[in-house]
Amino acid sequence: MADETPTPTPQRFFHACLLILGGIVALSLALELLAQFWGWLVLIAGIALVIWAAVVGVRHWREHRW
């Protein structure tokens, strides 16, 4: 067995704080990036929804016409 000493609690706490800070920075950057493109994403989702509704409507119309 290896003689590894456990990591001291303050050092573990410091590493945990650094990980949390890194997560906050990454989340902040992701939100900033999303803020630039959210309008386009909503537009694309709206167009996809209209196309899907048209396909469903045409299928329904073809199945139920006389």
Side-chain angles (χ1 to χ4, degrees):
M1 284 198 211
D3 282 335
E4 291 187 22
T5 59
T7 307
T9 303
Q11 188 175 4
R12 288 183 16 213
F13 179 73
F14 179 70
H15 286 174
C17 288
L18 285 179
L19 287 173
I20 291 171
L21 178 62
I24 291 171
V25 169
L27 185 60
S28 175
L29 290 175
L31 288 175
E32 289 291 327
L33 185 63
L34 184 62
Q36 294 177 4
F37 297 112
W38 76 270
W40 289 105
L41 293 174
V42 170
L43 178 65
I44 291 169
I47 291 171
L49 181 64
V50 168
I51 291 171
W52 175 79
V55 168
V56 169
V58 167
R59 284 183 181 173
H60 181 72
W61 178 72
R62 285 186 180 177
E63 288 178 0
H64 291 96
R65 70 178 170 165
W66 299 74

